[in-house]
Amino acid sequence: MGLLERFENGDQVALARIISRVENRRTGYQDILARLYAHAGRAQRIGLTGPPGAGKSSLVFRLGELLSASGKKVGIIAVDPTSPFTGGALLGDRIRMQDLSLDPNIFIRSMATRGSTGGLAEATRDTTMVMDAFGFDLVLIETVGVGQVELDIARACDSVVVVFVPESGDAVQAMKAGLMEIADIYCLNKADRDGAERLVLELQSVLGLRQRTNNWEYPIIQTQAINNIGIDDLWQAIKNHREFCQSDTSPEDRQKERIANDLLTIVRGKVDRRLRSVLRDSETFEKVVADILAGSTNPYSAAERLVAELSTALTS
Amino acid sequence: MDKIRVLLAKPGLDGHDRGIKVIAAALRDAGMEVIYTGLRQTPDKIVSAAIQEDAQFIGMSILSGAHMTLFPAVAKLLKEKGAENIHLFGGGIVPDQDAAKLEEIGVGRIFTPGATTEEIVTYIRDTARDLPEETL
Ligand SMILES: Nc1nc2c(ncn2[C@@H]2O[C@H](COP(=O)(O)OP(=O)(O)OP(=O)(O)O)[C@@H](O)[C@H]2O)c(=O)[nH]1
Ligand SMILES: [Mg+2]
């Protein structure tokens, strides 16, 4: 039986291999995605992000446990950074989730950022779509909330949970890196530690300043992932957010927005790859660099000219 | 070639993971993606994790002396799950005659204490080159 048939029969080995093909952008991956797309569109996508060590994996584990117990099928994607110097990565999120490894309702996949800007957001979206097509009811995506790319991934989700800890005061005050602003739900984990109440107050005061585009009341949920406390509340908040979104916009509008978003990401990825390969092989590019070095032109005027030339090359 | 993905696991009850963490860091520094699953892993959890991660390699560190049960258990599960393409190797205090027996059931190299991280990196790279390209 072929890989795709096995996938469609619910074979996890096939799912894992297809994810690799997509992640490695191996020949034919687009055809696979095009075929699987017809099965996708049902899964609820939930992003969990936040500073390193905040307890994201521990929370994903608890949520996975809770959801599986109620019969839900859950795909989990855990993203960790690739070292920009060696291209290698240490993917350690499974350590906190290994007890879910034998759960037939759960599938966990670790992904490295592999350095490429934009590419990660694309590969992660594709993997989410593949899991969706496989038939998971929910896809949980863990990213470290530090870079723009991670924020892009979070934005591709239906609901975003930003995880803080009692020691996150400075980050909250600084509204760090847009982290505060992408949250639909704030989760204060490690609430067993000193300073939790104070951080809730800080969050509330900062939240008062947040720009609102609708009437969603941002909840602040206190959890203790290690003690399995507050997980029901967190899940309830996620459900509430989903219900709110469903009442706030029509299904067609949401569908449209999701499609537009996905399409833009895919096109951007394709143009970017095309651009790189055209630029790399381009003598003009080398020459322009030399010209700038020699002082006969500057990057601004040269870029203008290059873009004009490239738009011809890109469409050919 | 695809990125090399290695799942490192520490089955059994002995509670030290310093050694395996050193290897994890060395493999990462050699440009590989290392999935570390932590202490006290059972064979079925290791195999299930390796399948989900689509790792080409499973590296197990066994210092407790239980290598003659743990390696065969993992090898057997890999076959049962249709994942025998995953290359199993390891580290531990394993006498030569045991290593030979394990080789017969498809286990790769067992590195004994004193092996350098360079040797392990080279071994993985060489083996990866010979792994069959799977087809659709
Ligand atoms: N005190 C306390 N510790 C916790 C809690 N939840 C998680 N931890 C601990 O915090 C540490 C980090 O937990 P992880 O779940 O790995 O955190 P993470 O955000 O996924 O970490 P990275 O993926 O490395 O960014 C572990 O030692 C956990 O045991 C909690 O509610 N209270
Ligand atoms: Mg984590």
Side-chain angles (χ1 to χ4, degrees):
Chain A
M1 212 188 321
L3 208 50
L4 279 165
E5 286 76 41
R6 286 169 58 195
F7 178 96
E8 280 156 8
N9 284 335
D11 179 347
Q12 286 205 354
V13 177
L15 167 61
R17 297 223 176 118
I18 284 183
I19 292 174
S20 299
R21 277 171 192 233
V22 168
E23 200 188 4
N24 289 312
R25 296 298 189 233
R26 225 187 295 153
T27 323
Y29 83 91
Q30 278 127 324
D31 299 335
I32 296 180
L33 291 176
R35 172 155 161 190
L36 296 186
Y37 184 77
H39 302 293
R42 278 185 298 263
Q44 183 182 353
R45 307 187 271 193
I46 300 162
L48 280 100
T49 189
K56 301 176 292 295
S57 301
S58 309
L59 286 165
V60 168
F61 165 65
R62 293 299 184 190
L63 283 172
E65 240 180 2
L66 182 86
L67 292 165
S68 169
S70 67
K72 296 253 194 297
K73 295 195 184 318
V74 186
I76 295 171
I77 304 174
V79 182
D80 273 321
T82 292
S83 152
F85 304 107
T86 64
L90 208 59
L91 310 173
D93 295 314
R94 271 199 105 94
I95 298 174
R96 314 263 170 243
M97 308 180 193
Q98 258 307 71
D99 283 344
L100 294 174
S101 274
L102 296 176
D103 187 327
N105 286 333
I106 308 259
F107 183 98
I108 307 169
R109 182 65 175 235
S110 312
M111 280 181 94
T113 56
R114 300 201 176 171
S116 63
T117 56
L120 168 70
E122 207 191 342
T124 309
R125 261 176 210 249
D126 292 344
T127 304
T128 310
M129 195 280 280
V130 170
M131 287 188 172
D132 183 349
F134 191 76
F136 291 108
D137 301 305
L138 297 104
V139 181
L140 306 182
I141 306 166
E142 173 187 344
T143 56
V144 182
V146 285
Q148 183 57 42
V149 183
E150 287 85 348
L151 297 185
D152 283 348
I153 296 173
R155 276 200 194 90
C157 294
D158 301 311
S159 303
V160 177
V161 179
V162 174
V163 183
F164 290 100
V165 290
E167 295 79 10
S168 302
D170 292 346
V172 170
Q173 288 305 332
M175 278 232 185
K176 263 247 176 68
L179 200 57
M180 288 289 292
E181 310 210 285
I182 59 162
D184 300 308
I185 294 154
Y186 295 86
C187 175
L188 179 64
N189 190 42
K190 307 197 185 182
D192 50 304
R193 291 205 192 157
D194 289 345
E197 290 306 328
R198 205 193 56 235
L199 197 86
V200 170
L201 292 177
E202 279 180 43
L203 269 170
Q204 277 165 345
S205 72
V206 173
L207 266 179
L209 306 171
R210 188 174 159 178
Q211 287 278 343
R212 277 156 208 267
T213 51
N214 56 34
N215 293 320
W216 172 246
E217 289 293 335
Y218 299 102
I220 302 172
I221 312 293
Q222 298 194 41
T223 56
Q224 302 176 26
I226 44 162
N227 300 321
N228 204 6
I229 290 175
I231 310 303
D232 290 318
D233 299 340
L234 180 58
W235 175 235
Q236 188 57 50
I238 295 168
K239 280 201 293 197
N240 291 347
H241 182 249
R242 182 180 168 88
E243 273 160 32
F244 173 83
C245 293
Q246 282 170 346
S247 63
D248 195 49
T249 53
S250 73
E252 298 87 85
D253 284 353
R254 262 178 298 122
Q255 195 77 2
K256 255 194 196 156
E257 171 142 2
R258 180 188 279 208
I259 293 172
N261 247 318
D262 285 349
L263 191 60
L264 197 63
T265 313
I266 299 165
V267 170
R268 202 186 283 141
K270 277 189 186 299
V271 171
D272 191 59
R273 272 192 301 281
R274 202 61 209 280
L275 191 63
R276 278 165 209 266
S277 77
V278 170
L279 279 183
R280 222 182 294 118
D281 308 335
S282 145
E283 285 167 29
T284 328
F285 190 74
E286 296 286 317
K287 196 180 163 304
V288 169
V289 172
D291 287 349
I292 297 170
L293 187 68
S296 62
T297 184
N298 62 73
Y300 305 96
S301 325
E304 201 70 43
R305 229 178 36 242
L306 268 181
V307 169
E309 280 175 35
L310 277 169
S311 46
T312 333
L314 276 175
T315 47
S316 68
Chain B
M1 209 183 64
D2 291 348
K3 207 43 137 189
I4 296 179
R5 285 168 71 86
V6 184
L7 183 124
L8 292 182
K10 182 99 184 110
L13 295 176
D14 66 310
H16 297 285
D17 62 355
R18 209 176 317 130
I20 202 161
K21 280 186 171 157
V22 169
I23 292 164
L27 299 185
R28 176 202 55 202
D29 293 344
M32 300 173 194
E33 288 179 359
V34 183
I35 301 120
Y36 180 52
T37 53
L39 289 168
R40 283 180 277 282
Q41 295 297 302
T42 54
D44 48 359
K45 278 187 194 169
I46 293 171
V47 169
S48 167
I51 288 175
Q52 293 179 357
E53 298 292 351
D54 196 26
Q56 297 104 316
F57 294 88
I58 297 176
M60 295 204 299
S61 153
I62 301 172
L63 297 169
S64 60
H67 52 270
M68 290 314 274
T69 50
L70 291 168
F71 279 109
V74 170
K76 182 161 166 271
L77 279 165
L78 285 173
K79 281 211 185 71
E80 275 170 26
K81 308 256 177 197
E84 58 271 58
N85 62 306
I86 302 177
H87 182 93
L88 175 62
F89 73 101
I93 308 160
V94 176
D96 285 349
Q97 66 266 34
D98 285 358
K101 277 189 203 135
L102 291 175
E103 202 183 324
E104 274 168 36
I105 57 162
V107 180
R109 195 83 166 258
I110 312 283
F111 292 90
T112 44
T116 65
T117 53
E118 288 81 22
E119 283 175 79
I120 301 173
V121 167
T122 309
Y123 171 77
I124 294 175
R125 284 204 180 123
D126 289 348
T127 312
R129 217 169 286 130
D130 297 335
L131 288 179
E133 180 81 23
E134 40 106 15
T135 49
L136 192 65

